[in-house]
Coordinates of all heavy atoms in Angstrom, one line a residue:
Chain B
S5 N -0.5 -8.4 -12.2 CA 0.4 -9.5 -12.3 C 1.9 -9.0 -12.2 O 2.3 -8.1 -12.8 CB 0.3 -10.2 -13.7 OG 1.2 -11.3 -13.8
Q6 N 2.7 -9.7 -11.3 CA 4.1 -9.3 -11.1 C 5.0 -10.5 -11.4 O 4.6 -11.6 -11.0 CB 4.3 -8.8 -9.7 CG 3.7 -7.4 -9.4 CD 4.1 -6.9 -8.1 OE1 3.3 -6.7 -7.2 NE2 5.4 -6.5 -8.0
S7 N 6.1 -10.2 -12.0 CA 7.1 -11.3 -12.2 C 8.5 -10.7 -12.1 O 8.7 -9.6 -12.4 CB 6.9 -11.9 -13.6 OG 7.1 -10.9 -14.6
P8 N 9.5 -11.6 -11.6 CA 9.2 -12.9 -11.1 C 8.6 -12.8 -9.7 O 8.6 -11.7 -9.1 CB 10.6 -13.5 -11.0 CG 11.5 -12.3 -10.8 CD 10.9 -11.2 -11.5
S9 N 8.1 -13.9 -9.1 CA 7.6 -13.8 -7.8 C 8.7 -13.8 -6.7 O 8.6 -13.3 -5.7 CB 6.7 -15.0 -7.5 OG 7.3 -16.2 -7.8
N10 N 9.8 -14.5 -7.1 CA 11.0 -14.5 -6.2 C 12.2 -14.2 -7.1 O 12.3 -14.7 -8.2 CB 11.2 -15.8 -5.5 CG 10.3 -15.9 -4.3 OD1 10.5 -15.4 -3.3 ND2 9.2 -16.7 -4.5
K11 N 13.2 -13.5 -6.5 CA 14.4 -13.2 -7.2 C 15.6 -13.2 -6.2 O 15.5 -12.4 -5.3 CB 14.3 -11.9 -8.0 CG 15.6 -11.5 -8.7 CD 15.9 -12.4 -10.0 CE 17.1 -11.9 -10.7 NZ 17.4 -12.7 -11.9
V12 N 16.5 -14.1 -6.4 CA 17.8 -14.0 -5.6 C 18.9 -13.5 -6.5 O 19.1 -14.1 -7.6 CB 18.1 -15.4 -5.0 CG1 19.4 -15.3 -4.2 CG2 16.9 -15.9 -4.2
T13 N 19.6 -12.5 -6.1 CA 20.6 -12.0 -7.0 C 21.9 -11.7 -6.1 O 21.8 -11.5 -4.9 CB 20.2 -10.7 -7.7 OG1 21.1 -10.3 -8.6 CG2 20.0 -9.5 -6.7
E14 N 23.0 -11.7 -6.8 CA 24.2 -11.3 -6.1 C 24.4 -9.8 -6.0 O 24.0 -9.1 -6.9 CB 25.4 -11.9 -6.8 CG 25.5 -13.5 -6.8 CD 26.7 -14.0 -7.5 OE1 27.4 -13.2 -8.2 OE2 26.9 -15.2 -7.5
K15 N 25.0 -9.4 -4.9 CA 25.3 -8.0 -4.7 C 26.1 -7.5 -5.9 O 27.0 -8.1 -6.4 CB 26.1 -7.9 -3.4 CG 26.5 -6.4 -3.1 CD 27.3 -6.4 -1.8 CE 27.9 -5.1 -1.6 NZ 28.8 -5.0 -0.3
G16 N 25.6 -6.3 -6.4 CA 26.3 -5.7 -7.5 C 25.6 -5.9 -8.8 O 25.9 -5.2 -9.8
K17 N 24.8 -6.9 -8.9 CA 24.1 -7.2 -10.2 C 22.9 -6.3 -10.3 O 22.3 -5.8 -9.4 CB 23.6 -8.7 -10.2 CG 24.8 -9.7 -10.2 CD 25.4 -9.8 -11.5 CE 26.6 -10.8 -11.6 NZ 26.2 -12.2 -11.6
D18 N 22.4 -6.2 -11.6 CA 21.2 -5.4 -11.9 C 20.0 -6.4 -11.9 O 20.1 -7.5 -12.3 CB 21.3 -4.7 -13.2 CG 22.4 -3.7 -13.3 OD1 23.1 -3.4 -12.2 OD2 22.7 -3.2 -14.4
V19 N 18.8 -5.9 -11.5 CA 17.6 -6.7 -11.6 C 16.5 -5.9 -12.2 O 16.4 -4.6 -12.1 CB 17.1 -7.2 -10.2 CG1 18.1 -8.2 -9.7 CG2 16.9 -6.1 -9.3
E20 N 15.6 -6.6 -12.9 CA 14.4 -6.0 -13.5 C 13.2 -6.7 -12.9 O 13.1 -7.9 -13.0 CB 14.4 -6.1 -15.0 CG 15.4 -5.1 -15.7 CD 15.2 -5.1 -17.2 OE1 14.4 -5.9 -17.7 OE2 15.8 -4.2 -17.8
L21 N 12.2 -5.9 -12.4 CA 11.0 -6.4 -11.9 C 9.8 -5.9 -12.8 O 9.8 -4.7 -13.1 CB 10.8 -5.9 -10.5 CG 12.0 -6.1 -9.5 CD1 11.6 -5.6 -8.1 CD2 12.4 -7.5 -9.4
R22 N 8.9 -6.8 -13.1 CA 7.9 -6.4 -14.1 C 6.5 -6.4 -13.4 O 6.2 -7.2 -12.5 CB 7.8 -7.5 -15.2 CG 6.7 -7.3 -16.2 CD 6.7 -8.4 -17.2 NE 5.5 -8.4 -18.0 CZ 5.4 -8.0 -19.2 NH1 6.5 -7.7 -19.9 NH2 4.2 -8.0 -19.9
C23 N 5.7 -5.4 -13.9 CA 4.3 -5.3 -13.4 C 3.3 -5.1 -14.5 O 3.5 -4.2 -15.4 CB 4.2 -4.1 -12.4 SG 2.5 -3.7 -11.9
D24 N 2.3 -5.9 -14.6 CA 1.3 -5.9 -15.6 C 0.0 -5.5 -14.9 O -0.6 -6.3 -14.2 CB 1.1 -7.2 -16.3 CG 0.5 -7.1 -17.6 OD1 -0.2 -6.0 -17.9 OD2 0.6 -8.0 -18.4
P25 N -0.5 -4.2 -15.0 CA -1.6 -3.7 -14.2 C -2.9 -4.3 -14.8 O -3.0 -4.9 -15.9 CB -1.5 -2.2 -14.4 CG -0.9 -2.0 -15.7 CD 0.1 -3.2 -15.9
I26 N -4.0 -4.0 -14.1 CA -5.3 -4.3 -14.6 C -5.6 -3.4 -15.8 O -5.4 -2.2 -15.8 CB -6.4 -4.1 -13.5 CG1 -6.2 -5.1 -12.4 CG2 -7.8 -4.1 -14.1 CD1 -7.1 -4.9 -11.2
S27 N -6.2 -4.1 -16.8 CA -6.5 -3.4 -18.1 C -7.4 -2.2 -17.8 O -8.5 -2.4 -17.2 CB -7.1 -4.4 -19.1 OG -7.5 -3.7 -20.3
G28 N -7.1 -1.1 -18.3 CA -7.9 0.1 -18.1 C -7.6 1.0 -17.0 O -8.1 2.1 -16.8
H29 N -6.8 0.4 -16.1 CA -6.3 1.2 -14.9 C -5.3 2.2 -15.4 O -4.3 1.9 -16.0 CB -5.7 0.3 -13.8 CG -6.8 -0.2 -12.9 ND1 -6.5 -0.8 -11.7 CD2 -8.1 -0.3 -13.0 CE1 -7.6 -1.2 -11.1 NE2 -8.6 -0.9 -11.9
T30 N -5.5 3.5 -15.1 CA -4.6 4.5 -15.6 C -3.4 4.8 -14.7 O -2.4 5.3 -15.1 CB -5.4 5.8 -15.8 OG1 -6.0 6.2 -14.5 CG2 -6.5 5.7 -16.8
A31 N -3.6 4.5 -13.4 CA -2.5 4.8 -12.5 C -1.8 3.6 -12.0 O -2.5 2.5 -11.8 CB -3.1 5.5 -11.2
L32 N -0.5 3.6 -11.9 CA 0.3 2.5 -11.5 C 1.3 3.0 -10.5 O 1.9 4.0 -10.6 CB 1.0 1.9 -12.7 CG 1.8 0.6 -12.5 CD1 1.8 -0.2 -13.8 CD2 3.2 0.9 -12.1
Y33 N 1.5 2.2 -9.4 CA 2.3 2.6 -8.3 C 3.3 1.4 -7.9 O 2.9 0.2 -8.1 CB 1.5 2.8 -7.0 CG 0.3 3.7 -7.3 CD1 -0.9 3.1 -7.8 CD2 0.3 5.0 -7.0 CE1 -2.1 3.9 -8.0 CE2 -0.9 5.8 -7.2 CZ -2.0 5.2 -7.7 OH -3.1 6.0 -8.0
W34 N 4.5 1.8 -7.5 CA 5.4 0.8 -6.9 C 5.7 1.2 -5.5 O 5.9 2.3 -5.1 CB 6.8 0.8 -7.7 CG 6.8 0.2 -9.0 CD1 6.6 0.8 -10.2 CD2 7.0 -1.2 -9.3 NE1 6.7 -0.2 -11.2 CE2 6.9 -1.4 -10.7 CE3 7.2 -2.3 -8.5 CZ2 7.1 -2.7 -11.3 CZ3 7.4 -3.6 -9.1 CH2 7.3 -3.7 -10.5
Y35 N 5.6 0.1 -4.6 CA 5.9 0.3 -3.2 C 6.9 -0.8 -2.8 O 7.0 -1.8 -3.5 CB 4.6 0.1 -2.3 CG 3.6 1.3 -2.4 CD1 2.7 1.3 -3.5 CD2 3.6 2.3 -1.5 CE1 1.8 2.4 -3.6 CE2 2.8 3.4 -1.6 CZ 1.8 3.4 -2.6 OH 1.0 4.4 -2.7
R36 N 7.6 -0.6 -1.7 CA 8.5 -1.6 -1.2 C 8.1 -1.9 0.2 O 7.8 -1.0 1.0 CB 9.9 -1.0 -1.3 CG 11.0 -1.9 -0.7 CD 12.4 -1.4 -1.1 NE 12.8 -0.2 -0.4 CZ 14.0 0.3 -0.4 NH1 14.9 -0.2 -1.2 NH2 14.3 1.4 0.2
Q37 N 8.2 -3.2 0.6 CA 7.9 -3.6 2.0 C 9.0 -4.5 2.5 O 9.2 -5.6 2.0 CB 6.6 -4.3 2.0 CG 6.1 -4.6 3.4 CD 4.6 -5.1 3.4 OE1 4.2 -5.8 2.5 NE2 3.9 -4.8 4.5
S38 N 9.8 -3.9 3.4 CA 10.8 -4.7 4.1 C 10.1 -5.6 5.2 O 9.0 -5.4 5.6 CB 11.8 -3.8 4.7 OG 12.5 -3.0 3.8
L39 N 10.8 -6.6 5.6 CA 10.2 -7.7 6.5 C 9.6 -7.0 7.7 O 10.3 -6.3 8.5 CB 11.3 -8.7 6.9 CG 10.8 -9.9 7.6 CD1 9.9 -10.7 6.8 CD2 12.0 -10.8 8.1
G40 N 8.3 -7.3 7.9 CA 7.6 -6.8 9.1 C 7.4 -5.3 9.1 O 7.0 -4.7 10.1
Q41 N 7.6 -4.6 8.0 CA 7.5 -3.2 7.9 C 6.3 -2.7 7.1 O 5.6 -3.5 6.6 CB 8.8 -2.5 7.3 CG 10.1 -2.9 8.1 CD 10.0 -2.4 9.5 OE1 9.7 -1.2 9.8 NE2 10.2 -3.3 10.5
G42 N 6.2 -1.4 7.0 CA 5.0 -0.9 6.3 C 5.3 -0.8 4.8 O 6.3 -1.3 4.3
L43 N 4.5 0.0 4.1 CA 4.6 0.1 2.6 C 5.3 1.4 2.3 O 4.7 2.5 2.6 CB 3.2 0.1 2.0 CG 2.4 -1.2 2.3 CD1 0.9 -1.0 2.2 CD2 2.9 -2.3 1.4
E44 N 6.4 1.3 1.7 CA 7.2 2.5 1.4 C 7.0 2.9 -0.1 O 7.3 2.1 -1.0 CB 8.7 2.2 1.6 CG 9.6 3.4 1.2 CD 11.1 2.9 1.2 OE1 11.4 1.7 1.5 OE2 12.0 3.8 1.0
F45 N 6.5 4.1 -0.3 CA 6.2 4.6 -1.7 C 7.5 4.7 -2.5 O 8.5 5.2 -2.0 CB 5.5 5.9 -1.7 CG 5.5 6.6 -3.0 CD1 4.7 6.1 -4.0 CD2 6.3 7.7 -3.2 CE1 4.6 6.8 -5.3 CE2 6.2 8.3 -4.5 CZ 5.4 7.9 -5.5
L46 N 7.5 4.3 -3.7 CA 8.7 4.4 -4.6 C 8.4 5.4 -5.8 O 9.1 6.4 -5.9 CB 9.1 3.1 -5.2 CG 9.6 2.0 -4.1 CD1 10.0 0.7 -4.8 CD2 10.8 2.6 -3.4
I47 N 7.4 5.0 -6.6 CA 7.2 5.8 -7.8 C 5.7 5.6 -8.3 O 5.1 4.6 -8.0 CB 8.2 5.4 -9.0 CG1 8.1 6.3 -10.2 CG2 8.0 3.9 -9.4 CD1 9.2 6.1 -11.2
Y48 N 5.2 6.6 -9.0 CA 3.8 6.6 -9.4 C 3.7 7.1 -10.8 O 4.3 8.2 -11.2 CB 3.1 7.5 -8.4 CG 1.8 8.2 -8.8 CD1 0.8 7.6 -9.5 CD2 1.7 9.5 -8.4 CE1 -0.3 8.3 -9.8 CE2 0.5 10.2 -8.7 CZ -0.5 9.6 -9.4 OH -1.6 10.3 -9.7
F49 N 2.9 6.4 -11.7 CA 2.7 6.8 -13.0 C 1.2 7.1 -13.2 O 0.3 6.3 -12.7 CB 3.0 5.6 -14.0 CG 4.5 5.3 -14.0 CD1 5.0 4.3 -13.2 CD2 5.3 5.9 -14.9 CE1 6.3 3.9 -13.2 CE2 6.7 5.5 -15.0 CZ 7.1 4.5 -14.1
Q50 N 0.8 8.2 -13.9 CA -0.6 8.5 -14.1 C -0.6 8.9 -15.6 O -0.2 10.0 -16.0 CB -1.1 9.5 -13.2 CG -2.5 10.1 -13.6 CD -3.5 9.0 -13.7 OE1 -3.7 8.3 -14.7 NE2 -4.3 8.9 -12.7
G51 N -1.3 8.1 -16.4 CA -1.5 8.4 -17.8 C -0.2 8.8 -18.5 O 0.8 8.1 -18.4
N52 N -0.3 9.9 -19.2 CA 0.9 10.4 -19.9 C 1.7 11.4 -19.2 O 2.7 12.0 -19.7 CB 0.5 11.0 -21.3 CG -0.2 10.0 -22.2 OD1 0.3 8.8 -22.2 ND2 -1.2 10.3 -22.9
S53 N 1.3 11.7 -17.9 CA 2.0 12.7 -17.1 C 3.4 12.1 -16.7 O 3.7 10.9 -16.7 CB 1.3 13.0 -15.8 OG 0.0 13.4 -16.2
A54 N 4.3 13.1 -16.4 CA 5.6 12.7 -15.9 C 5.5 11.9 -14.6 O 4.7 12.3 -13.8 CB 6.5 13.9 -15.7
P55 N 6.2 10.8 -14.4 CA 6.1 10.1 -13.2 C 6.5 10.8 -12.0 O 7.4 11.7 -12.0 CB 6.9 8.8 -13.5 CG 7.9 9.2 -14.5 CD 7.2 10.3 -15.4
D56 N 5.9 10.5 -10.8 CA 6.3 11.0 -9.5 C 7.4 10.1 -9.0 O 7.1 9.0 -8.5 CB 5.1 11.1 -8.6 CG 5.4 11.6 -7.2 OD1 6.6 11.6 -6.9 OD2 4.5 11.9 -6.4
K57 N 8.6 10.5 -9.0 CA 9.8 9.6 -8.6 C 10.2 10.0 -7.2 O 11.3 9.6 -6.8 CB 10.9 9.8 -9.6 CG 10.6 9.6 -11.1 CD 11.9 9.8 -11.9 CE 11.6 9.7 -13.4 NZ 12.8 9.9 -14.2
S58 N 9.5 10.7 -6.5 CA 9.9 11.3 -5.2 C 10.3 10.2 -4.2 O 11.0 10.5 -3.2 CB 8.9 12.2 -4.7 OG 7.7 11.6 -4.4
G59 N 9.8 9.0 -4.3 CA 10.1 8.0 -3.3 C 11.3 7.1 -3.7 O 11.7 6.3 -2.8
L60 N 11.9 7.3 -4.8 CA 13.0 6.4 -5.2 C 14.2 6.7 -4.2 O 14.6 7.8 -4.1 CB 13.4 6.6 -6.6 CG 12.4 6.2 -7.7 CD1 12.9 6.5 -9.1 CD2 12.1 4.7 -7.6
P61 N 14.7 5.6 -3.6 CA 15.7 5.9 -2.5 C 17.1 6.3 -3.0 O 17.9 6.9 -2.3 CB 15.8 4.5 -1.8 CG 15.3 3.5 -2.8 CD 14.3 4.2 -3.7
S62 N 17.4 6.0 -4.3 CA 18.7 6.4 -4.8 C 18.7 6.3 -6.3 O 17.7 5.9 -6.9 CB 19.8 5.5 -4.3 OG 19.8 4.2 -5.0
D63 N 19.7 6.9 -7.0 CA 19.7 6.9 -8.5 C 20.0 5.5 -9.0 O 20.0 5.3 -10.3 CB 20.7 7.9 -9.0 CG 22.1 7.7 -8.5 OD1 22.4 6.6 -7.9 OD2 23.0 8.5 -8.7
R64 N 20.1 4.5 -8.2 CA 20.3 3.1 -8.7 C 18.9 2.6 -9.1 O 18.8 1.6 -9.8 CB 20.9 2.2 -7.6 CG 22.3 2.6 -7.2 CD 22.9 1.5 -6.3 NE 22.2 1.5 -5.0 CZ 21.4 0.5 -4.6 NH1 21.1 -0.5 -5.5 NH2 20.8 0.6 -3.4
F65 N 17.8 3.2 -8.6 CA 16.5 2.8 -8.9 C 15.9 3.6 -10.0 O 16.0 4.9 -10.1 CB 15.6 3.0 -7.7 CG 15.9 2.0 -6.6 CD1 17.0 2.1 -5.8 CD2 15.0 1.0 -6.3 CE1 17.2 1.3 -4.7 CE2 15.2 0.1 -5.2 CZ 16.3 0.3 -4.5
S66 N 15.2 2.9 -11.0 CA 14.5 3.6 -12.1 C 13.3 2.8 -12.5 O 13.3 1.6 -12.2 CB 15.5 3.9 -13.3 OG 15.9 2.6 -13.8
A67 N 12.4 3.4 -13.1 CA 11.2 2.7 -13.6 C 10.7 3.3 -14.8 O 10.9 4.5 -15.1 CB 10.1 2.6 -12.5
E68 N 10.1 2.5 -15.7 CA 9.4 3.0 -16.8 C 8.1 2.3 -17.0 O 7.9 1.2 -16.5 CB 10.3 2.9 -18.1 CG 10.6 1.5 -18.4 CD 11.4 1.4 -19.7 OE1 12.0 2.4 -20.2 OE2 11.4 0.3 -20.3
R69 N 7.2 3.0 -17.8 CA 5.9 2.4 -18.1 C 5.7 2.6 -19.6 O 5.6 3.7 -20.0 CB 4.8 3.1 -17.3 CG 3.5 2.3 -17.4 CD 2.4 3.0 -16.6 NE 1.1 2.2 -16.7 CZ -0.1 2.6 -16.3 NH1 -0.2 3.8 -15.8 NH2 -1.1 1.9 -16.4
T70 N 5.6 1.5 -20.2 CA 5.5 1.5 -21.7 C 4.0 1.4 -22.2 O 3.3 0.5 -21.7 CB 6.3 0.4 -22.3 OG1 5.9 -0.9 -21.7 CG2 7.8 0.5 -22.1
G71 N 3.7 2.3 -23.1 CA 2.3 2.2 -23.7 C 1.2 2.4 -22.6 O 0.1 1.9 -22.9
G72 N 1.5 3.0 -21.5 CA 0.5 3.2 -20.5 C 0.0 1.9 -19.9 O -1.0 1.9 -19.2
S73 N 0.9 0.9 -20.0 CA 0.4 -0.4 -19.4 C 1.5 -1.0 -18.5 O 1.7 -0.6 -17.4 CB 0.0 -1.4 -20.5 OG -0.4 -2.6 -20.0
V74 N 2.3 -1.9 -19.1 CA 3.3 -2.7 -18.3 C 4.4 -1.7 -17.8 O 4.8 -0.8 -18.5 CB 4.0 -3.7 -19.2 CG1 5.1 -4.4 -18.6 CG2 2.9 -4.8 -19.6
S75 N 4.8 -2.0 -16.6 CA 5.9 -1.2 -16.0 C 7.1 -2.1 -15.6 O 6.8 -3.3 -15.2 CB 5.4 -0.5 -14.8 OG 6.4 0.3 -14.1
T76 N 8.3 -1.6 -15.7 CA 9.5 -2.3 -15.2 C 10.2 -1.4 -14.2 O 10.5 -0.3 -14.5 CB 10.4 -2.6 -16.4 OG1 9.7 -3.4 -17.4 CG2 11.6 -3.4 -16.0
L77 N 10.5 -2.0 -13.1 CA 11.3 -1.3 -12.1 C 12.7 -2.0 -12.1 O 12.9 -3.2 -12.1 CB 10.7 -1.6 -10.7 CG 11.5 -1.0 -9.5 CD1 11.5 0.5 -9.5 CD2 11.0 -1.5 -8.2
T78 N 13.7 -1.1 -12.3 CA 15.1 -1.6 -12.5 C 15.9 -1.1 -11.3 O 15.9 0.1 -10.9 CB 15.7 -1.1 -13.8 OG1 14.9 -1.5 -14.9 CG2 17.1 -1.6 -13.9
I79 N 16.7 -2.0 -10.7 CA 17.6 -1.7 -9.6 C 19.0 -2.1 -10.1 O 19.2 -3.2 -10.4 CB 17.3 -2.4 -8.3 CG1 15.8 -2.3 -7.9 CG2 18.2 -1.9 -7.2 CD1 15.4 -3.1 -6.7
Q80 N 19.8 -1.1 -10.2 CA 21.2 -1.3 -10.7 C 22.1 -1.5 -9.5 O 21.9 -1.0 -8.4 CB 21.7 -0.1 -11.5 CG 20.9 0.1 -12.8 CD 21.4 1.3 -13.5 OE1 21.6 2.4 -13.0 NE2 21.7 1.1 -14.8
R81 N 23.2 -2.3 -9.7 CA 24.2 -2.5 -8.6 C 23.5 -2.8 -7.3 O 23.8 -2.1 -6.3 CB 25.1 -1.3 -8.6 CG 25.8 -0.9 -9.9 CD 26.7 0.3 -9.8 NE 26.0 1.5 -9.3 CZ 25.2 2.3 -10.0 NH1 25.0 2.0 -11.2 NH2 24.7 3.3 -9.4
T82 N 22.8 -3.8 -7.2 CA 22.0 -4.1 -6.0 C 22.8 -4.3 -4.8 O 24.0 -4.7 -4.8 CB 21.2 -5.4 -6.2 OG1 22.1 -6.5 -6.6 CG2 20.1 -5.3 -7.2
Q83 N 22.2 -3.8 -3.7 CA 22.9 -3.9 -2.4 C 22.0 -4.7 -1.4 O 20.8 -4.9 -1.7 CB 23.0 -2.5 -1.8 CG 23.8 -1.5 -2.7 CD 25.2 -1.9 -2.8 OE1 25.9 -2.2 -1.8 NE2 25.7 -1.9 -4.0
Q84 N 22.6 -5.2 -0.3 CA 21.8 -6.1 0.6 C 20.6 -5.3 1.1 O 19.5 -5.9 1.4 CB 22.7 -6.6 1.7 CG 23.7 -7.6 1.2 CD 24.5 -8.3 2.3 OE1 24.8 -7.7 3.3 NE2 24.8 -9.6 2.1
E85 N 20.7 -4.0 1.3 CA 19.6 -3.3 1.9 C 18.4 -3.1 0.9 O 17.3 -2.7 1.3 CB 20.0 -1.9 2.4 CG 20.5 -1.0 1.3 CD 22.1 -1.0 1.3 OE1 22.7 -2.0 1.7 OE2 22.6 0.0 0.8
D86 N 18.6 -3.6 -0.4 CA 17.5 -3.6 -1.3 C 16.6 -4.8 -1.2 O 15.6 -4.8 -1.8 CB 18.1 -3.6 -2.8 CG 18.9 -2.4 -3.1 OD1 18.8 -1.3 -2.4 OD2 19.8 -2.5 -4.0
S87 N 17.0 -5.7 -0.3 CA 16.2 -6.9 -0.1 C 14.9 -6.5 0.5 O 14.9 -5.8 1.5 CB 16.9 -7.9 0.8 OG 18.1 -8.4 0.2
A88 N 13.8 -6.9 -0.1 CA 12.4 -6.5 0.3 C 11.4 -7.2 -0.6 O 11.8 -7.8 -1.7 CB 12.3 -5.0 0.3
V89 N 10.2 -7.0 -0.3 CA 9.1 -7.4 -1.3 C 8.7 -6.1 -2.0 O 8.4 -5.1 -1.4 CB 7.9 -8.0 -0.6 CG1 6.8 -8.2 -1.6 CG2 8.3 -9.3 0.1
Y90 N 8.8 -6.2 -3.3 CA 8.4 -5.0 -4.2 C 7.0 -5.2 -4.7 O 6.7 -6.2 -5.4 CB 9.4 -4.8 -5.3 CG 10.7 -4.3 -4.8 CD1 11.6 -5.2 -4.2 CD2 11.1 -3.0 -4.8 CE1 12.8 -4.7 -3.7 CE2 12.2 -2.5 -4.3 CZ 13.1 -3.4 -3.7 OH 14.3 -2.9 -3.2
L91 N 6.1 -4.3 -4.3 CA 4.7 -4.4 -4.7 C 4.3 -3.4 -5.7 O 4.7 -2.2 -5.6 CB 3.8 -4.2 -3.4 CG 3.9 -5.4 -2.3 CD1 3.4 -4.8 -1.0 CD2 3.1 -6.6 -2.8
C92 N 3.6 -3.9 -6.7 CA 3.0 -3.0 -7.7 C 1.5 -2.9 -7.4 O 0.9 -3.9 -7.0 CB 3.3 -3.6 -9.1 SG 2.5 -2.7 -10.4
A93 N 0.9 -1.8 -7.7 CA -0.5 -1.6 -7.6 C -1.0 -0.7 -8.7 O -0.3 0.0 -9.3 CB -0.9 -0.9 -6.2
S94 N -2.3 -0.9 -9.0 CA -2.9 -0.1 -10.1 C -4.3 0.4 -9.6 O -4.9 -0.2 -8.7 CB -3.0 -0.8 -11.4 OG -3.9 -1.8 -11.4
S95 N -4.7 1.5 -10.1 CA -6.1 2.0 -9.8 C -6.6 2.7 -11.0 O -5.9 3.2 -11.9 CB -6.0 2.9 -8.6 OG -5.4 4.1 -8.9
F96 N -8.0 2.9 -11.1 CA -8.6 3.6 -12.1 C -8.6 5.1 -11.6 O -9.4 5.4 -10.7 CB -10.0 3.1 -12.4 CG -10.7 3.9 -13.5 CD1 -10.2 3.9 -14.8 CD2 -11.8 4.7 -13.2 CE1 -10.8 4.6 -15.8 CE2 -12.4 5.4 -14.2 CZ -12.0 5.4 -15.5
L97 N -7.8 5.9 -12.1 CA -7.6 7.3 -11.7 C -7.1 7.2 -10.2 O -6.9 6.1 -9.6 CB -8.8 8.1 -11.8 CG -9.5 8.2 -13.1 CD1 -10.7 9.0 -13.1 CD2 -8.5 8.8 -14.1

Side-chain angles (χ1 to χ4, degrees):
Chain B
S5 177
Q6 290 189 246
S7 61
S9 55
N10 279 285
K11 177 73 177 179
V12 179
T13 189
E14 293 180 352
K15 179 180 170 182
K17 294 283 179 76
D18 298 352
V19 294
E20 285 190 350
L21 312 180
R22 176 188 167 104
C23 173
D24 200 343
I26 290 174
S27 178
H29 276 193
T30 56
L32 185 149
Y33 314 83
W34 284 97
Y35 289 84
R36 177 169 72 173
Q37 189 171 33
S38 300
L39 189 62
Q41 301 300 307
L43 301 160
E44 177 190 4
F45 166 73
L46 296 177
I47 188 168
Y48 152 47
F49 297 89
Q50 170 56 278
N52 295 322
S53 302
D56 177 348
K57 304 179 183 180
S58 59
L60 294 178
S62 78
D63 58 9
R64 297 186 294 105
F65 288 72
S66 63
E68 62 176 17
R69 188 179 185 191
T70 53
S73 181
V74 172
S75 176
T76 302
L77 177 69
T78 302
I79 309 173
Q80 295 179 311
R81 305 181 302 282
T82 52
Q83 304 293 313
Q84 287 188 328
E85 61 263 28
D86 299 335
S87 295
V89 176
Y90 288 80
L91 291 161
C92 175
S94 69
S95 69
F96 180 66
L97 303 178

